[in-house]
Amino acid sequence: MDVTTEAVWMDGEIVSGPEAMVHVMTPSLHYGWGAYEGIRFYTSDDPERPGPLIFRLAEHLSRLEASSEALGMSLPHSQEELIAACVQLVRRSGLSEGYLRPLVMLRAGAMSVAGQIDDVSVVIGCWTWSGYVSDADSGISVRTSSWVRCAASQIPPSVKSTGGYLNPSLARLDAVRGGDHEAILLNQEGRVAEASAANVFAVIDDTLVTPPLSEGILPGITRDAVLTLAEDHGMPTLCRPVEPRELSGAEEVMLAGTAMELAPVVRIDGSPVGPGRPGPWYAKLRGALDGAFHGRCEDHQDWSTDCSPDAPAPSPLTSGSTASGS
């Protein structure tokens, strides 16, 4: 998938793909100084909001700001400006469904491991989305990675940083090379942390269980949506530490993230999960999540930003990310 031909928003100006250039001597390329988000938009099933609908845009941008600030990089644009930029890009793209990639990076200039972090640039890309794993609804296979999730004292896992993603990327590369779809990383204590680009859920004793943020995971926005929708549907939820052996014996295991949405895990380390096929908890949660993506969830209309030409200007999120389960 070639994304270099699509228009890019760069610090207040939309430029063509071939013109969206960054100097090769930016410290972000050399030292990993960068924060980013992945945001999805979907076709609308709500006649009053023709769409496309961006899913939880303000929450994503609040997390982007938090990640940037944690790296000492202050955003030079307000959340209102970035929301407007995302809406503008979606409208310009003509896509009914797709993906947005805001990226915060350093401008080229002084070259230092920890220098010039006050000269910040923001770019946003937009392109069609072809899926994270093909046919994921039929079930995916994962393996427990030998790579360990970075601890908060190393690279904060709550920060969605470009440099920090080398750790889970290496884990997924090993998994894919070994014939699996994804990897699950353990934390420093040997408990379940997260997949390379998704949070982990397991149905254990008729309860939807997921590791808390204190286990060294990203505060996933889709994770938060799954927890909220589960509670809406009367499904018991619990955020607690999870041992690796519990996943093997779980009734169901699922991975949740922006790119993956919600995927059922049917094999872990070569052994089937439950009956080895997607289960009823997954089916119910997947249906609820699809409803939220496409504007059919009346209780969470505020999760969607309407990009139709006549839509009112969306409001920023004033209280920060709503990701729960700490």
Side-chain angles (χ1 to χ4, degrees):
M1 178 176 57
D2 184 2
V3 301
T4 62
T5 60
E6 305 297 334
V8 177
W9 185 91
M10 302 186 72
D11 289 314
E13 180 182 2
I14 290 184
V15 301
S16 68
E19 295 177 308
M21 297 297 177
V22 176
H23 200 286
V24 296
M25 300 310 291
T26 168
S28 289
L29 177 61
H30 293 257
Y31 301 120
W33 286 100
Y36 75 98
E37 282 292 320
I39 308 171
R40 298 281 294 277
F41 58 93
Y42 298 88
T43 56
S44 174
D45 292 335
D46 182 353
E48 296 184 2
R49 299 181 301 157
L53 301 176
I54 307 178
F55 187 66
R56 306 197 77 174
L57 175 59
E59 288 89 343
H60 277 286
L61 293 177
S62 289
R63 189 172 66 181
L64 179 71
E65 182 177 11
S67 294
S68 302
E69 293 289 348
L71 297 175
M73 303 165 63
S74 296
L75 290 180
H77 305 281
S78 67
Q79 189 177 122
E80 291 92 334
E81 290 176 303
L82 296 179
I83 287 174
C86 289
V87 171
Q88 184 183 11
L89 269 179
V90 171
R91 289 173 177 169
R92 180 188 174 99
S93 74
L95 298 172
S96 58
E97 295 197 346
Y99 186 90
L100 290 160
R101 167 52 57 83
L103 171 67
V104 181
M105 59 185 178
L106 300 180
R107 300 180 190 274
M111 183 61 71
S112 173
V113 172
Q116 201 174 329
I117 61 172
D118 57 344
D119 196 1
V120 177
S121 176
V122 181
V123 302
I124 308 172
C126 176
W127 61 85
T128 188
W129 184 249
S130 57
Y132 186 77
V133 175
S134 61
D135 300 323
D137 285 342
S138 62
I140 64 172
S141 63
V142 306
R143 67 177 55 196
T144 305
S145 180
S146 59
W147 292 95
V148 177
R149 189 70 176 99
C150 291
S153 60
Q154 297 166 333
I155 299 177
S158 62
V159 174
K160 199 171 178 71
S161 64
T162 55
Y165 261 74
L166 185 58
N167 172 230
S169 294
L170 287 168
R172 185 171 190 237
L173 182 61
D174 279 352
V176 172
R177 285 176 171 171
D180 291 301
H181 298 98
E182 252 292 358
I184 290 180
L185 292 89
L186 307 182
N187 61 19
Q188 306 286 316
E189 288 72 36
R191 296 189 294 267
V192 174
E194 57 191 352
S196 71
N199 294 115
V200 179
F201 286 90
V203 180
I204 301 172
D205 296 331
D206 292 321
T207 300
L208 187 67
V209 178
T210 191
L213 303 186
S214 58
E215 288 293 275
I217 66 171
L218 184 75
I221 291 167
T222 305
R223 171 184 178 274
D224 175 70
V226 169
L227 285 169
T228 300
L229 292 169
E231 292 168 358
D232 289 348
H233 287 77
M235 305 166 80
T237 64
L238 180 62
C239 295
R240 67 159 175 81
V242 177
E243 299 292 338
R245 58 179 172 75
E246 292 186 276
L247 295 185
S248 301
E251 298 149 50
E252 297 183 39
V253 175
M254 294 165 261
L255 302 183
T258 294
M260 187 175 288
E261 299 176 333
L262 186 67
V265 176
V266 297
R267 296 185 72 82
I268 294 179
D269 296 327
S271 299
V273 176
R277 61 179 181 272
W281 287 64
Y282 166 73
K284 191 168 187 177
L285 288 168
R286 177 75 215 202
L289 198 57
D290 281 344
F293 290 153
H294 296 281
R296 300 191 303 270
C297 185
E298 293 185 3
D299 291 338
H300 300 292
Q301 296 282 310
D302 59 332
W303 283 358
S304 299
T305 298
D306 184 11
C307 294
S308 57
D310 297 329
S315 301
L317 190 69
T318 57
S319 58
S321 174
T322 62
S324 63
S326 59

